[in-house]
Amino acid sequence: MTKQKSRVLILTDSVGHSFDDSLFPMAVHLSENPLIDAVYVADRADPANAGFYTNLDVGFNAFSVRKVNALYAYTTEHDFAAREKITADDFDAVWIRIDHPVSAEFLGYVRARFPNHFIMNDPQGLIRTMSKEFLPELAHSLGDMIPAAVLCNTAEEVEAFKGRFSKGVVLKQVLSYGGKGVVRYRDDTDATELHNKKEVADYLAENGMCLVMEYLDPPTEQSDNRVVVMNGEVLCVLKRTPMDGGWLCNITSGGSAVNDMITQREIDIAKRLDPMMRENGIFLYGVDMLLNSKGERVISEINTLNVGGMIESELMSGRPLTKMIADALAIIIGARDINADSKEEMVAA
């Protein structure tokens, strides 16, 4: 059985980067791992990669890449002309680090373009788990770890579900992210965005089928914990609170975040959830957890595309989270390469 170092391709887009993006330290740590031969970055902003990112060209096979070294960091200057050209066959694994929005068509194309590669997170798994349609599928397995939720196509369906909850409900676009398109519905109150059945019908007409979830009203002030999980292990927790007068805790909605202690409840939820995530090829993900009426954390969102929160927690806690994630990924890639070699040797024998 041979054991060789792996070459990794990172798919990203520098247009959305900032100086504190977690991609940079994670890529450097991954390149320095003894299981990894080299790490390359293929930028969507590079015109030479348009055949892959924009045109979804089935014949595309010449990635314009930058090799990661210790100096890899955020920059506003890009010399794309100096990039190397490498083919898909030169890589053993692919890591997707692209922000929303990303289409299901593109993710399917990535899997087709890299049919035999390990990809984190798996494109087909991303397509399934990025949709809010995934959350109701978890209800049977998670029980009281997830709030009551249902997919609705009509205002009548929303009305029937809302009637079960005195505090009203929250409507979410099926493919929303970052708190976009999330609205609260409760009859005749200024504290909501939707106030009557007609407004609900208008929302559905504009957005199509949506996920409707009970509005959670805890005994204490509401906060949203971003729980980052890798290989079933809870790595960190960021406690996010809404801006004054608001109820959405997303940073993009004006919320603020502080590092928080990992609780047994969050560990228990991750243990229950992780087998279902692994079945979908999801190894690194963020779980957003709100407080229910009992003051217990429950799942409100699952984030699987370009998971955030690690660098913020690392800076506040001092724990080397980006290195931990990079090292865990290197082990996963290495283990899969060894298994592939073992199968080849058995066939040859």
Side-chain angles (χ1 to χ4, degrees), residues 44-66:
R44 182 161 59 181
D46 185 342
N49 291 324
F52 178 80
Y53 285 107
T54 305
N55 303 330
L56 308 189
D57 181 359
V58 295
F60 182 89
N61 199 34
F63 290 90
S64 174
V65 298
R66 173 182 176 181

Side-chain angles (χ1 to χ4, degrees), residues 75-260:
T75 178
T76 57
E77 302 295 330
H78 300 285
D79 184 9
F80 292 128
R83 298 295 166 93
E84 300 179 53
K85 294 293 181 66
I86 300 183
T87 69
D89 293 337
D90 290 323
F91 301 104
D92 304 291
V94 178
W95 191 4
I96 301 174
R97 291 290 299 180
I98 306 174
D99 284 330
H100 285 285
V102 172
S103 69
E105 181 184 14
F106 172 73
L107 291 171
Y109 168 76
V110 171
R111 172 44 76 195
R113 196 65 202 82
F114 295 97
N116 301 314
H117 290 66
F118 168 70
I119 304 177
M120 193 182 84
N121 287 317
D122 182 79
Q124 294 301 322
L126 288 174
I127 292 171
R128 186 180 182 201
T129 59
M130 286 191 316
S131 171
K132 300 295 188 297
E133 296 175 78
F134 182 61
L135 288 174
E137 297 181 27
L138 304 175
H140 178 73
S141 299
L142 294 177
D144 66 354
M145 292 179 172
I146 190 168
V150 64
L151 294 166
C152 293
N153 288 285
T154 68
E156 288 75 19
E157 292 172 340
V158 175
E159 286 289 325
F161 184 72
K162 180 178 71 68
R164 297 167 47 187
F165 309 103
S166 61
K167 298 295 183 179
V169 294
V170 173
L171 281 68
K172 302 181 179 183
Q173 298 172 359
V174 170
L175 292 176
S176 68
Y177 54 91
K180 297 179 179 179
V182 178
V183 295
R184 184 181 174 191
Y185 174 33
R186 182 182 177 191
D187 291 333
D188 301 323
T189 173
D190 292 333
T192 60
E193 288 85 5
L194 302 179
H195 302 86
N196 55 57
K197 184 176 177 180
K198 181 184 182 304
E199 292 181 358
V200 172
D202 292 341
Y203 177 90
L204 293 171
E206 180 180 353
N207 299 292
M209 180 178 67
C210 67
L211 179 73
V212 185
M213 182 177 288
E214 65 172 304
Y215 178 81
L216 299 175
D217 188 34
T220 58
E221 184 180 32
Q222 185 61 274
S223 61
D224 180 1
N225 276 11
R226 162 58 60 88
V227 181
V228 178
V229 183
M230 176 72 178
N231 278 343
E233 179 186 357
V234 176
L235 297 183
C236 65
V237 176
L238 280 178
K239 182 178 182 179
R240 303 180 298 190
T241 53
M243 61 185 297
D244 291 343
W247 62 277
L248 289 172
C249 299
N250 308 73
I251 301 301
T252 53
S253 300
S256 57
V258 296
N259 215 50
D260 204 8

Side-chain angles (χ1 to χ4, degrees), residues 288-300:
D288 294 345
M289 301 185 189
L290 296 173
L291 292 169
N292 63 14
S293 60
K294 299 178 182 179
E296 299 171 328
R297 290 287 170 190
V298 292
I299 296 174
S300 64

